[in-house]
Amino acid sequence: MDLARQFEEFPSGEVIKCIDMHTTGEPTRIIYSGFPALQGTLLEQRDQAKSQYDHIRKRIMLEPRGHFDMYGAIIIPETELVQSGEAHIGVLFTHNGGFSTMCGHATIALGRFLVDTHDLATFPQRNELEPDLAAREVDVNIHAPCGLVRVVVPTSADGQKSDPSRPVRFRSTPAYCAATDLEIPIPRELAWPELGDRTSLRLDISYGGAFYALIDVRELGFQTGLRNFSLEAVSVAVKRLKRHLVTLPNVVEALQHPEDSRLSFLYSVMVVDREIGSKPDGVNGAETGLCFFAEDSIDRSPTGSCVAARVALAHAKGTRKQGQKWAYNSIVTNHFDTGAFVASLVDENVKIEGPNSREGRNGVTILVEGKAYYTGTATFVVEQGDVTSESGFTLNACT
């Protein structure tokens, strides 16, 4: 029985095709066919996807086709930046809670896929890519909801496919430090055991395509750091902290992005340990982070957009200079002693302005590099009468 051919002619007409990849263990499910066509600017398309097709997002991301920590990238062939010639293609990033504005690990994976596909129905601008055969790399400009992301993908000698042995690198949209050393009161009813008798803690907020609250693991109360720790206990603490942060006026003020209010939300809490981290050759230092994003999903990768936010924060604090390379790890890259994202500041004079702010912000541009690999392909359908999988589900929602 040729099930694949039957799926192509599935009666419901809702056949969704995907390529699965991972970046240091963090999945990227690239949806290249079957998602409903969207209209307008990319942010308007994001709004439409949220309001009209969230059940399809859940179908692709959640059980039984995905899982709680699944991540996706929906290819968007037409955006305003594609039409203007600034971008080759657009993308919407998706996860267990909705649609994010930027994702570094998925950008790294998507860069490889866009070079490897030669299907013009999937990537209409594919033939416009101009490989540098001497350097064995090609530029791919991707329009993300946060702006234009410039990606450089290593290639084979003929420039026709990606080279997995060398890292993909991308230049971030303007990143900036939004607030430093914020004092956060912690009501006793929200406190976790490791916090002890303390009634407040301090953290920073920085933007790298999305907003991140950055807190040292020891400030959170875990004195052994991210080498020997209880993932469950840290998860409890961060879950309580994140929900509390968005109720505080000083945090909400820091989260206002100059360009568009649709970028103005807290995406993640990143727990940082600057005392440990796998250190590849040629870098000046290394650290480790544990990223809780969306609806308490945990990133297996070092989180590329947060890497940009962390470099911007370090620059604002005077601890990172232009051109200085730093390795950013996750607990997975430390475990395998490979896969750290390497980042450096490449432009420290970027002005971020827009209607959402009177004064704008002074930003920086960050170069981030890492590797992604293919894991498989999938064709998804919904059989008639299949209520369980029509919109997907999480096990917690069933209890």
Side-chain angles (χ1 to χ4, degrees), residues 49-241:
K50 290 168 62 177
S51 64
Q52 297 182 26
Y53 301 115
D54 200 50
H55 64 290
I56 298 181
R57 187 267 308 173
K58 293 177 181 177
R59 183 187 305 170
I60 300 167
M61 291 292 100
L62 305 181
E63 297 183 55
R65 298 170 188 84
H67 54 77
F68 188 78
D69 293 307
M70 178 56 71
Y71 201 93
I74 303 168
I75 288 180
I76 306 296
E78 286 293 331
T79 78
E80 66 273 27
L81 294 189
V82 174
Q83 292 174 354
S84 70
E86 297 175 75
H88 294 110
I89 202 161
V91 62
L92 292 179
F93 298 116
T94 183
H95 47 65
N96 66 3
F99 295 84
S100 53
T101 54
M102 175 56 191
C103 180
H105 92 268
T107 295
I108 291 168
L110 188 58
R112 284 199 62 201
F113 170 78
L114 291 172
V115 171
D116 291 336
T117 185
H118 291 264
D119 181 359
L120 297 183
T122 296
F123 184 11
Q125 310 297 323
R126 174 61 181 84
N127 292 341
E128 293 187 9
L129 300 186
E130 299 179 355
D132 182 337
L133 298 182
R136 293 178 59 192
E137 61 187 27
V138 63
D139 295 338
V140 185
N141 295 333
I142 299 175
H143 185 187
C146 64
L148 184 65
V149 183
R150 301 181 185 276
V151 186
V152 180
V153 182
T155 69
S156 56
D158 62 3
Q160 296 303 299
K161 62 181 181 179
S162 66
D163 177 1
S165 70
R166 293 180 288 151
V168 174
R169 59 189 190 272
F170 70 86
R171 187 181 291 253
S172 73
T173 57
Y176 68 93
C177 170
T180 59
D181 203 30
L182 286 182
E183 184 172 2
I184 306 298
I186 305 295
R188 292 314 305 167
E189 63 270 19
L190 291 180
W192 46 94
E194 292 78 10
L195 197 62
D197 296 330
R198 296 169 57 203
T199 58
S200 68
L201 50 76
R202 292 187 177 274
L203 53 75
D204 306 306
I205 296 177
S206 194
Y207 177 84
F211 281 101
Y212 294 86
L214 298 147
I215 183 167
D216 188 276
V217 62
R218 292 166 182 83
E219 180 72 8
L220 201 60
F222 296 86
Q223 299 307 316
T224 59
L226 291 176
R227 188 183 301 277
N228 298 302
F229 71 103
S230 166
L231 182 59
E232 181 179 3
V234 174
S235 299
V236 168
V238 172
K239 185 175 182 178
R240 294 182 184 182
L241 176 62

Side-chain angles (χ1 to χ4, degrees), residues 203-206 210-215 238 241-242 245-246 255 265-271 290-299 303 305-306:
L203 53 75
D204 306 306
I205 296 177
S206 194
F211 281 101
Y212 294 86
L214 298 147
I215 183 167
V238 172
L241 176 62
K242 185 179 181 184
L245 287 176
V246 296
L255 297 176
F265 63 95
L266 181 62
Y267 179 54
S268 165
V269 172
M270 171 65 85
V271 180
L290 183 61
C291 181
F292 295 81
F293 68 94
E295 297 298 322
D296 306 312
S297 187
I298 300 176
D299 201 337
T303 312
S305 51
C306 191

Side-chain angles (χ1 to χ4, degrees), residues 41-55:
T41 67
L42 186 59
L43 282 174
E44 289 170 348
Q45 292 187 62
R46 180 174 175 266
D47 291 340
Q48 185 184 6
K50 290 168 62 177
S51 64
Q52 297 182 26
Y53 301 115
D54 200 50
H55 64 290

